[in-house]
């Protein structure tokens, strides 16, 4: 059955019919936001974080003001922008580490052998036409690629596979934490396609388990809690933070931060990321207690949203502390030379 479009008046009326109030934000402001800043389907998606007082077509949301949906959409955008920046640095860090592995290997044929093994595993792969990379493909007649060519041509998924192949070949062991890279990639792909990260904060990581991602979620939980200076509890009485780590968006964000800590080895890139993450904390806290917490009342307005946002803050704070320590330690190492190529936007 064909779906009919809804006018702006119909969109506003649907919100009202479902119990959404226009108290903290005027209807005129909501109209402007729906016209110039987002679209109806995306904003309505955040309603999934609120309970319904009834079922069927006549359902009513409980305690939901339009300003809360607007705030969630803005926080979603802030997190997406941050994840995009962090994942860009991670991808660069992976390529830099592959370069070091090749340079330090005693086998002078390691580069060609790595590509050969990668192709044996991956098989045929598609390289999209781009004016930025067509010159590289023209240089590689008959697909005679070297790893440094593939660094410019492959998707992130294949970059990780190439990295894993090279690491196993050089180190003769499994790539540590490779599952975190695949989780990072999933979140990076989500933000690249503009998916709503906060569409339903109750979504569990176990709900999307695949054969590709066979590792238990506890691996992320343990590493994330360690980053934040906390110990996971084995009993059923978990802390609210540990419980939140089972939620998809929190778990994935933790994996991104852990990968950034591990693979980014430029002090300036780390400190720049700390500034970005700190800015995200500030933005989350701008209306958190007023819109979702217990400011002015004796209970939380939305425990699910508030605890999820608080978990993202705790993770961010844990990352900042560890990243600053890593940057200081690396800067004090006389043998270290900063890789400024991974500090996009920093300047000299």
């Amino acid at each position: 059955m064909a779906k009919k479009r809804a006018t702006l008046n119909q969109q506003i009326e649907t919100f009202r019919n479902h119990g959404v109030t226009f108290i903290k934000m005027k209807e005129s402001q909501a109209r402007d936001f729906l016209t110039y800043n987002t679209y109806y389907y995306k904003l309505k998606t955040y309603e999934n974080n609120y309970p319904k007082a009834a079922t069927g077509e006549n359902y009513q949301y409980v305690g939901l003001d339009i300003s809360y949906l607007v705030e969630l959409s803005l926080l979603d955008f802030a997190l997406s922008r941050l994840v995009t920046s962090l994942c860009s640095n991670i991808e660069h860090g992976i390529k830099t580490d592959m370069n070091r592995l090749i340079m330090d290997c005693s086998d002078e044929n390691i580069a060609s052998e790595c590509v050969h093994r990668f192709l044996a595993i991956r098989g045929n792969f598609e390289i999209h036409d781009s004016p930025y990379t067509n010159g590289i493909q023209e240089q590689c007649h008959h697909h005679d690629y070297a790893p440094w060519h593939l660094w410019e041509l492959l998707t992130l998924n294949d970059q990780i596979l190439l990295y894993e192949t090279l690491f196993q070949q050089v180190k003769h062991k499994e790539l540590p934490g490779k599952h975190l890279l695949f989780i990072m990639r999933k979140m990076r792909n989500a933000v690249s396609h503009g998916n709503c990260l906060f569409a339903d904060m109750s979504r569990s990581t176990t709900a999307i388990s695949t054969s590709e991602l066979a590792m238990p979620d506890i691996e992320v939980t343990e590493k994330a809690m360690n980053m934040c200076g906390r110990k996971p509890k084995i009993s059923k009485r978990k802390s609210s933070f540990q419980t939140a780590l089972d939620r998809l968006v929190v778990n994935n964000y933790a994996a991104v931060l852990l990968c950034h800590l591990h693979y980014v080895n430029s002090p300036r890139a780390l400190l720049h990321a700390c500034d970005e993450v700190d800015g995200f904390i500030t933005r989350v806290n701008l209306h958190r207690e007023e819109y979702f917490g217990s400011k002015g009342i004796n209970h939380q307005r939305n425990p699910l949203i508030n605890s999820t946002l608080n978990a993202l803050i705790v993770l961010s704070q844990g990352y900042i502390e560890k990243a600053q320590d890593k940057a200081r330690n690396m800067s004090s190492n006389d043998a270290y030379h900063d890789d400024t190529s991974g500090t996009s936007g920093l300047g000299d």
Side-chain angles (χ1 to χ4, degrees):
M1 183 176 180
K3 298 290 186 180
K4 295 182 179 180
R5 67 102 170 100
T7 65
L8 184 58
N9 287 337
Q10 290 171 326
Q11 293 170 13
I12 295 295
E13 187 62 22
T14 300
F15 277 128
R16 289 190 181 280
N17 290 339
H18 290 165
V20 179
T21 60
F22 292 78
I23 299 174
K24 290 183 176 293
M25 173 177 279
K26 297 179 180 178
E27 181 181 315
S28 60
Q29 294 173 303
R31 285 175 173 272
D32 286 344
F33 193 81
L34 279 166
T35 303
Y36 302 109
N37 298 96
T38 192
Y39 48 92
Y40 175 69
Y41 179 80
K42 191 177 186 76
L43 193 64
K44 197 174 187 304
T45 299
Y46 301 111
E47 291 177 336
N48 294 325
N49 295 295
Y50 283 84
K52 296 177 181 177
T55 58
E57 295 183 359
N58 298 320
Y59 64 86
Q60 296 273 308
Y61 287 103
V62 179
L64 177 54
D65 191 82
I66 192 68
S67 62
Y68 304 161
L69 299 178
V70 170
E71 178 68 1
L72 285 174
S73 73
L74 294 174
L75 293 178
D76 197 317
F77 178 76
L79 180 57
S80 296
R81 185 170 53 183
L82 173 60
V83 168
T84 298
S85 177
L86 294 174
C87 289
S88 177
N89 276 341
I90 293 168
E91 186 171 0
H92 178 80
I94 291 172
K95 296 173 184 177
T96 303
D97 197 43
M98 281 193 277
N99 187 59
R100 282 195 297 268
L101 287 171
I102 292 172
M103 288 191 301
D104 295 341
C105 184
S106 59
D107 183 359
E108 61 181 17
N109 297 316
I110 188 65
S112 59
E113 291 174 1
C114 170
V115 172
H116 178 75
R117 291 195 182 192
F118 167 76
L119 293 176
I121 298 171
R122 180 63 175 86
N124 295 327
F125 59 91
E126 182 180 0
I127 296 177
H128 296 289
D129 182 71
S130 169
Y132 293 99
T133 58
N134 285 344
I136 297 175
Q137 296 188 61
E138 291 173 1
Q139 294 175 13
C140 302
H141 300 294
H142 305 293
H143 302 288
D144 185 21
Y145 297 117
W148 43 90
H149 296 135
L150 295 177
W151 297 339
E152 306 300 321
L153 300 172
L154 296 178
T155 64
L156 178 56
N157 185 51
D158 284 337
Q159 296 282 3
I160 295 173
L161 178 58
L162 179 65
Y163 180 43
E164 181 183 3
T165 303
L166 177 62
F167 189 91
Q168 290 177 340
Q169 189 174 356
V170 174
K171 300 291 187 178
H172 306 292
K173 61 181 180 180
E174 290 292 320
L175 177 67
K178 68 177 182 179
H179 299 105
L180 297 180
L181 285 173
F182 282 105
I183 296 174
M184 176 276 297
R185 185 214 12 126
K186 288 180 180 294
M187 193 174 207
R188 181 261 202 182
N189 288 348
V191 300
S192 296
H193 291 95
N195 300 150
C196 297
L197 302 179
F198 293 152
D200 182 0
M201 291 184 175
S202 67
R203 285 182 298 195
S204 171
T205 57
T206 55
I208 59 160
S209 295
T210 65
S211 58
E212 176 189 40
L213 186 60
M215 52 86 54
D217 299 322
I218 192 65
E219 181 178 346
V220 178
T221 298
E222 289 178 348
K223 291 180 183 298
M225 295 195 74
N226 181 65
M227 179 179 70
C228 298
R230 306 189 181 197
K231 293 184 178 181
K233 295 181 180 179
I234 302 177
S235 64
K236 293 183 179 180
R237 299 185 61 180
K238 299 179 181 178
S239 65
S240 59
F241 175 58
Q242 185 173 346
T243 299
L245 279 166
D246 291 334
R247 298 171 194 160
L248 181 64
V249 66
V250 180
N251 180 278
N252 286 185
Y253 180 58
V256 169
L257 293 177
L258 289 165
C259 286
H260 198 276
L261 265 179
H262 182 79
Y263 292 105
V264 176
N265 292 305
S266 163
R268 286 197 287 179
L270 286 165
L271 294 177
H272 179 62
C274 287
D275 290 339
E276 290 183 301
V277 173
D278 187 59
F280 174 67
I281 294 174
T282 300
R283 181 60 188 84
V284 171
N285 277 328
L286 185 62
H287 299 296
R288 182 172 65 88
E289 280 297 326
E290 178 186 357
Y291 286 2
F292 313 116
S294 56
K295 184 177 181 179
I297 57 177
N298 58 6
H299 64 277
Q300 292 188 47
R301 293 171 177 82
N302 191 307
L304 170 64
I305 296 176
N306 197 43
S307 62
T308 302
L309 294 178
N310 185 65
L312 297 177
I313 291 173
V314 173
L315 286 170
S316 299
Q317 291 170 335
Y319 165 83
I320 290 175
E321 182 178 350
K322 291 293 190 296
Q324 288 176 339
D325 287 343
K326 181 177 180 179
R328 280 193 294 266
N329 292 334
M330 297 190 76
S331 296
S332 63
N333 185 352
D334 293 336
Y336 175 77
H337 298 283
D338 194 7
D339 172 20
T340 57
S341 60
T343 56
S344 176
L346 292 181
D348 294 327

